Amino acid sequence: MAAIVKETQSIKQAVLLINGLDTTKFPRLLSRILQKLHLKDEHSFNEEEREKLQAALSLEKYELRLVLETVSFILEQAAYYNVKPTALQQQLENIHLNQEKAEAFSQAWTNMGQDFIEKLRQNTFAPKRLEKIGWCFNLEMGQSLQAKMKSPHAVLELGINSEDSENTENIFVEFNHGELLDFYNKLETIQAQLDSLT
């Protein structure tokens, strides 16, 4: 299996810091990060908790930030690659994380990894969601300069709902025949690709 974490300079620095952490406190840190990592707009620790954590772990502010970001990154990579706990432990030992810390990652991943992956699956990556579709047909029969003309247009009404809002925003899109045909063909292509994945 390819390495899920490359040994960059910042990773090396973070590994040194993580190796120096109290072994009894580290599993609780991992557990807390795993509980909150799937939340998009929320940090694992608020500012007050970070200050307490900084003192409890005897780290400078930038060191704590590096440790938290690195632990989060490792867990996100483990979820992305759906790594087994033993493989995760081996990968972490390969980047020189000591055995106790690598085992703590493995244990946390065993206990909470699948739940974390499931929570990530339930998150929507798009901030807006299509709630309803409406349509109407317009036929323009003439203009002041052109008496005899037929110009059919379809108007789609898309009801878009944001994750953090109850209100539905209506977007109107007007198509002539050619544009509507292009749009239809693109939707058919998307549908075919979705069908091939299921």
Side-chain angles (χ1 to χ4, degrees):
M1 174 182 211
I4 63 167
V5 180
K6 303 270 189 274
E7 200 172 2
T8 63
Q9 191 57 43
S10 63
I11 293 289
K12 287 178 183 177
Q13 188 178 1
V15 164
L16 288 173
L17 293 170
I18 293 169
N19 283 340
L21 296 178
D22 184 340
T23 308
T24 60
K25 295 177 183 173
F26 188 65
R28 290 189 306 228
L29 177 72
L30 282 172
S31 176
R32 174 66 179 270
I33 291 172
L34 265 171
Q35 288 171 5
K36 300 247 183 173
L37 193 55
H38 70 283
L39 302 172
K40 290 182 212 167
D41 299 324
E42 192 174 321
H43 293 289
S44 298
F45 299 93
N46 63 33
E47 196 59 41
E48 182 183 330
E49 290 170 328
R50 280 178 184 241
E51 288 173 9
K52 289 178 182 176
L53 192 59
Q54 186 181 332
L57 298 176
S58 304
L59 295 173
E60 296 293 325
K61 190 172 187 171
Y62 76 94
E63 292 174 330
L64 177 64
R65 191 184 83 245
L66 181 61
V67 166
L68 295 177
E69 287 174 358
T70 303
V71 169
S72 297
F73 175 73
I74 290 169
L75 294 170
E76 287 168 346
Q77 290 295 98
Y80 179 79
Y81 290 103
N82 200 12
V83 177
K84 302 277 184 250
T86 52
L88 176 62
Q89 181 176 343
Q90 183 60 52
Q91 293 244 353
L92 295 176
E93 288 175 0
N94 289 347
I95 61 167
H96 308 292
L97 200 65
N98 68 32
Q99 187 177 355
E100 294 84 18
K101 301 302 187 310
E103 283 175 2
F105 266 103
S106 177
Q107 190 60 46
W109 195 244
T110 300
N111 295 338
M112 303 174 72
Q114 287 306 310
D115 187 44
F116 172 61
I117 290 171
E118 190 55 40
K119 286 176 183 174
L120 286 178
R121 282 188 184 133
Q122 291 171 2
N123 280 349
T124 55
F125 291 105
K128 298 190 178 193
R129 196 172 54 240
L130 182 64
E131 292 291 329
K132 68 174 187 163
I133 300 174
W135 65 276
C136 69
F137 180 73
N138 293 334
L139 182 60
E140 190 176 351
M141 297 298 287
Q143 292 178 344
S144 60
L145 299 174
Q146 254 183 314
K148 290 186 176 185
M149 68 175 269
K150 285 185 183 175
S151 179
H153 290 275
V155 178
L156 282 180
E157 176 188 0
L158 306 173
I160 307 293
N161 198 350
S162 184
E163 272 185 6
D164 55 355
S165 172
E166 294 292 321
N167 300 333
T168 300
E169 173 188 354
N170 291 319
I171 297 174
F172 295 90
V173 184
E174 187 173 344
F175 295 101
N176 64 28
H177 181 268
E179 293 167 337
L180 186 58
L181 184 60
D182 286 344
F183 183 65
Y184 172 78
N185 288 333
K186 286 179 183 161
L187 289 176
E188 283 290 310
T189 303
I190 292 168
Q191 184 64 51
Q193 290 175 349
L194 287 174
D195 289 343
S196 73
L197 294 173
T198 57

